[in-house]
Amino acid sequence: MKVLLVLALAVALVAPEFTAGKTYEYKYEGYLLGGLPEEGLARAGMKIQSKILIGAADPNSYIIKLEDPVISEYSGIWPKEVFRPATKLTSALSAQFLTPVKFEYANGVIGKVYAPAGISTTVLNIFRGVLNIFQMNIKKTQNVYNLQETGVNGVCKTHYVLSEDSKADRLHLTKTTDLIHCTDRIHMDFGMAGYTDKCAECVTRGKVFAGAISINYVMKPSASGTLILEATATELLQYSPINIVNGAFQMEAKQTVTFVDIKKTPLEPIKADYIHRGSLKYEFGTELLQTPIQLLRITNAEAQIVETLNNLVSLNLGKAHEDSPLKIIELIHLLRVARYESIEALWSQFKSKSEHRHWMLSSIPAIGTHVALKFIKEKVVAGELTSAEAARAIMSSTHLGLAMTPKIKENAALREITMLGFGTMVQKYCVENPSCPSELVRPIHDIVVSAVERRDNDELSLALKVLGNAGHPSSLKPIMKLLPGFGSSASSLEHRVHVDAALALRKIAKREPKLIQDMAVQLFMDRTLDPELRMVAAIVLFDTKLPLGLVTTLAQSLLKEPNLQVASFAYSYMKAFTKTTTPDHSTVAAACNVAIRILSPKFERLSYRYSRAFHYDHYYNPWMLGAAASAYYINDVASVLPRNVMAKARIYLSGVFVDVLEFGARSEGVQEALLKVRDVPESANRITKMKQVLKAFATGPEIRTYGKQALDALMSGYSLKYSQPNLVIEVRCIFSSSLGLPMELSLYTAGVTAASIEVQATISPPPPEDFHPVHLLKSDISMKALVAPSVSLHTYAVMGVNNPFIQATVMSRAKVHTVIPKKMEARFDMVKGYFNYQFLPVEGVKTIASARLETVAIARDVEDLEAAKITPVLPFEPFINKNTTSMLSKTSNYLSDSLSESSELLPLQMQSQIVSNMKIPKPIVKKMCATTYTYGIEACVDIRSRNATFLRNTPIYAIIGNHSLLVNVTPGKIEIEVQIGEKAAEKIIKVVNLSEEEEILEDKNVLMKLKKILVPGLKNSTKASSSSSSSSRSSSSRSRRSSSSSSKTSSSSSSSRPKTKMLDLADPLNKTSKSSSSQHLSRSSSSSRSSLRSSILSSSSSSSSSSSMFKQELYEMNFTRDHIHQHSLSTERLKSKSSASSFEYIYNKAKYLSNTVSPAVTVLVRAIRTDHKNQGYQITAYYDRLTARVQIIVANLTENDNWRICADSMMLSYHKVMTRVTWGIECKQYNTSITAETGRVEKEPAVRVKLTWERLPNYLKKYARRISNYLTRIVEDNGVNTTKVANDPKVIKLTVAVANETSLNVTMKTPKNTFYKLGWTLPFYLPVNNTAAELQAYKNRWIEQVTYMLTKSNAAECSVVKGTVVTFNNKKYKTEMPHSCHQVLAQDCTSEMKFIVLLKRDQTTEQNEISVKIEIIDVDMYLKDNAVVVKVNEVEISLNNLPYQHPTADIQIREREDGVSLHAPSHGLQEVFFSLNKVQVKVVDWMRGQTCGLCGKADGEVRQEYSTPNKRVSRNATSFAHSWVLPAKSCHDTSECYMQLDSVKLEKQISLEGEESKCYTVEPVLRCLPGCLPVRTTSVTVGYHCVPLDSNLNRSDGLSSIYEKSIDVSETAESHLACRCTPQCT
């Protein structure tokens, strides 16, 4: 039955046919609307209505004609508004619509399209949109099927469903086209869209674009063919930059074709040549030149360019006009339309006008067509552009031909810019055209070949970077030839060329990941290559998105990796990827998680001196938005400065990603250049000469001439008006709609940056002709300046129809405009020490910043631009649908009836229901102002915002609406006066002095103090009085110490105070009465007792735990002060005086220094008022040399305003500085004190800083609590211990004590917590103990002292103690040292050979000796009678004469502990220490990786520690140590060394691979010279190379290269340690 049905359908359904000689008439209507899907918001669109006439021209050719066309526009609230006919546009295009178009049509499939040349591509595309409805691929044997079908949108996946209505004799066909799954989608990316890369994995998690077309047909079968009675096509496109599930803009198109009649008259074509115009696919026309932001009617492009250019230049002279960015886009649009000859003519017209020239050269590169390339190339070749102009133009648009021109070749920087820009242009072209030919990069390949022949490494490096920017797969072979292991010529190239070649593979890896994986794996696995090259190969490898199997293979290889730099880098890179959240690295993250479990966690313990890779990213899936950053720290010898640093940043948006930043820097030789200072006579002379040259240069005739010219320019008036236009962003994506109209998604950002500078100077007396800078120090200089920077920036985001005739778009436009003018006047009188600055307001400028964002629906056509309609997408009045009118009326009645009642009586459900149904948005209106009344400055921020979040709370709906931000500033006139020196007192406006009452009280206080000394009877009462007063103002710590004495004398204190009438002037806050003072005393005493009791209880509870007691001991540091008070009146007072008493003594003698000394500096910061009243602040500084006291008083100049800040700082001794700051009314409201002093903690130097206060304002307390909470949270992450302790409530103490030369013990006590950190390691040595003594060699040279401390802290250390060696890499081994032979302990293994340290063990005394050779200087150290003897060039230096400084070289010798140290950091030796039991060598950081010997290479590679002189890595320590013995030349040598290194034959024969063999050591073995006998021997395991037993290997031939042979077996050999020679030895 089913078979019969299918056959019936197959018979019934045939393709539509149009009978010859007849004309088929249809009614056609198609409209397109864009906007948000909700009703009540504005949309933009257009509609086309017409009659369709179709007739047959010949059996396979048909004619289509559109009659009575009507084009309408739409911009308004949907569905409230109606389409408006575009009458003028219809009339302009009617002739083209009425022109018949031919097309091929067979079996329902449309083939070629033919049209006269008079029909524009835009109109022909509309014909294609109509023909698209008649496209049907009929399969006669199926009624449900899908296929890739050609349509107006391209070749896309299309589904067919066929059904039959037998009763009505109708066939129903539904055709659905999926616009996401297209093999050939018609679209074009323009602008910066070519620089993005698609993120396929991102699109699987969310969609930014979705679209489909559905066409429903109603057809009538007939004997001759099927007749289409009705067809309805609906297209829906959705787009959102942050995932369409969060709301999206949509474009809805609908087409209806209805059968009207069949006319028996044939349809005839016009008499014109019908040429082939493509197929059904949409074709791009002039819409590529049309910007979607504005629609221009271009009649005379050249004249319009001149008008726009003049407009831009005139409106932006030193100030960015608010509408200039839109004009820039208009200028670029006109330049794109103009012919090359027109641009050339405009250049000839304006090139002599600097402003016009600048605007043209800034705009032409943004055209982005071949016209711009041709123009720039010709102007550069002709030499019409300066270097700066050429550089800017080339960076915007580049062609390789420019790099080959002589003008560019002369300038290396321009050539590099041109070459690199060419590579980027090729890469962009290949993104837009995937089949880009290899001929594009062939010129660069030729440059590579030529550079290899000439061994030009710089040219090779540049060419490789160009190929890396291009990323073309055809460059793979030329690059491979430059990599070691792949090309024969690679071995002769520099290492940096290898690195650049590897990095050039990164972009190729995006297109050919499998090929690059194979290459990169080989490079990474080759352990003979340079570690940096292997690490770069790892970077390239991970860019290919490695599979799990390959990542696992890498992890397995790392387990046996001998180079820790490579291992650390690869491990850190894998671990960084385990935390990635970006979709494109999700598979790599899963693979790396497996690899990390395979690898040993010991890689985590490697320090940051080893190479690391960092990767951080964050991706938010709901918004398809993310960012990633990678940084690569490549080192080779574990030094402080890395060898190479690279970083890049990437942004993910809308399913694509773009690398926005890439940075790289090499540091080869930088550290050595900074730290290696050779202090030899030649260098000293050179430095002296350099100083003389610099001095001559600074005062030379050329500098004087330039200085005089600059001054003359300032005195005559200097003016600059500068503006810089920029098209910052242009991203366009154009594709077809089903109507044949071009749809566009675009983003534009354009801006103008401008500045106006005017400077006028007056110098008295005028500078002489023989001007010298010193003359300015004797001049009175006045200057006036006006600086006005401004910025105008526009951003447009557009979606909709855009072609040269009509635009129907939804546009979000943001405008930002800022202008911040500054007008200043200044005067500098150097002789009188007077400086005056005035900041004056600029008239007419109040709004300094504005920002506006709005979204509108726009409909306009080129024939009637005045009738353009722009509608805000979010209406100002809410749209009320008919269905909700009744509900809203009921709600309003309910509300009107309930006005008298409280809103709280409404049920919650009813309230929410009303709000939900009304959905009336309330605009946000905020205005915030801040005013400084002192200077008359007012700043206001006005914010207004309306959005559509009431419909849907997503980012898209939050942007939709109207938003504005205005920043208004009303500036005042401000003057700053500074007077230094003797005349400072003349500028004082407000005299701050002691009042008469205060002076009397102070006199009485002095008398009472004298009575206490002279009258013994008053001693007890006065002591009680002073005790009470001090207890009321002292800190809680002192209150606890004096609580007992205060409690005993409280009654006498209260009774004695009224009699003495004493007022403690030391406390400026004392304003209480006598009774309140005594009450305060009792409260203070009781509170101190309670705090003491609580502290005792807390300590007793903590003592119950031994660990708590241990913590208490850790952070308690007993600080002993170095300070000795110098202002006491007697020895008794000296012993009993507190730290504050000495300060109080000086302070009470003169509260204000204005009574005793003249001010040193007076600063007035005041507002200039029209009524000449003083308003502002006065800052006065006094300095008393006798007491080393500085006082600064800040006073408010307003009349009757006694608000002040008083700051007193005293240097009480060389060990103590104390500062008190009081402020408020007469400096009596709030106060705080800071004391800094040096001392000792357990005999080690220490510093303590103490902050105390009496009263603080509430806002300071609030901020202090926030800081305290923040510190408490972060200290644990940094290894700082925290203990909750009830410390002094108004004291903060910070104690820093020296633990050793490289670490500190730090304790900070706050009122509620104690923070402590013991052994806080520092990155440098402290100038204490031995380091302080060593720095004496650089006395008065602080730069060299700092350098020395840095180099010492980073020095690599090696030591030898009783036969145990600890290498530079901290690897420990024991060895038996040969007697009387020198061994290389440490040596500079570079070609410079800066130093060598030799170690020798005396055969008789069994003691070590060392010999240090630096250049031509020999320093020997050995023991004699257990005392160290030092010889320099065979001359003994007595220990009594140490420290010793070599007269010509930077070599210092001094005693240290029980030995002697040699220091020569500029030669690479930080220190060589020699004593009875220890030898120690330290090399500076920049020598890491350049040393060799028993101490190793100092490169951090512990797995390759035992490197012998022949570069072989020994398997045991003894063989390694013996390889560094300096062999004897003769048995009669005076050094009594009778040994040599030799290859030894294995005493037994072995069978190797079934063959009897003899074996020889490939590692040298220590043996006695011929004629000498071993006295002492040891066994050592060495490697042997074996050859067949009958081989002729002997010493004369084969043994000469035995050390280069492979190891076949490992056996023991006898090594000699001491020898005795007979007199007959040779």
Side-chain angles (χ1 to χ4, degrees), residues 563-694:
N563 191 289
L564 291 181
Q565 296 287 349
V566 175
S568 174
F569 184 86
Y571 177 82
S572 60
Y573 208 7
M574 289 181 182
K575 186 171 183 182
F577 268 119
T578 59
K579 301 178 181 179
T580 186
T581 58
T582 54
D584 54 336
H585 288 124
S586 58
T587 56
V588 181
C592 288
N593 271 293
V594 176
I596 289 298
R597 292 181 175 88
I598 296 174
L599 293 171
S600 171
K602 65 184 178 182
F603 289 115
E604 286 284 353
R605 298 192 290 270
L606 293 176
S607 70
Y608 277 89
R609 288 178 176 267
Y610 291 91
S611 302
R612 293 287 180 100
F614 306 91
H615 181 83
Y616 306 97
D617 60 45
H618 180 71
Y619 188 85
Y620 188 57
N621 281 304
W623 291 4
M624 299 181 69
L625 184 67
S630 300
Y632 311 106
Y633 174 96
I634 298 177
N635 212 339
D636 57 349
V637 291
S639 59
V640 174
L641 288 179
R643 188 174 182 180
N644 195 354
V645 174
M646 294 185 292
K648 72 173 183 178
R650 174 177 292 181
I651 292 177
Y652 294 83
L653 177 66
S654 302
V656 299
F657 64 84
V658 56
D659 293 327
V660 295
L661 173 68
E662 195 157 352
F663 167 81
R666 299 183 68 84
S667 62
E668 290 176 327
V670 175
Q671 186 179 5
E672 186 172 354
L674 292 174
L675 301 179
K676 184 178 68 172
V677 181
R678 292 183 176 258
D679 195 9
V680 295
E682 293 80 19
S683 295
N685 293 336
R686 184 170 62 251
I687 292 172
T688 304
K689 291 177 182 178
M690 288 174 62
K691 289 181 179 179
Q692 292 175 353
V693 171
L694 289 175

Side-chain angles (χ1 to χ4, degrees), residues 737-772:
S737 66
S738 60
L739 270 70
L741 296 171
M743 286 292 298
E744 180 164 342
L745 302 171
S746 58
L747 177 66
Y748 278 81
T749 297
V752 178
T753 304
S756 175
I757 302 173
E758 297 179 7
V759 183
Q760 175 74 50
T762 304
I763 301 176
S764 179
E769 292 297 328
D770 56 341
F771 169 75
H772 193 283

Side-chain angles (χ1 to χ4, degrees), residues 826-868:
R827 181 187 171 194
F828 310 93
D829 193 338
M830 303 297 182
V831 177
K832 297 180 180 179
Y834 176 71
F835 308 94
N836 182 284
Y837 307 87
Q838 291 187 15
F839 298 94
L840 306 176
V842 179
E843 300 296 333
V845 179
K846 186 176 180 181
T847 302
I848 65 169
S850 64
R852 294 180 177 87
L853 172 62
E854 61 178 346
T855 305
V856 294
I858 303 173
R860 55 196 170 196
D861 65 82
V862 73
E863 298 296 333
D864 193 4
L865 292 175
E866 292 78 11

Side-chain angles (χ1 to χ4, degrees), residues 345 480 957 976 1055 1311:
M480 286 177 62
Y957 286 78
I976 301 175
S1055 61

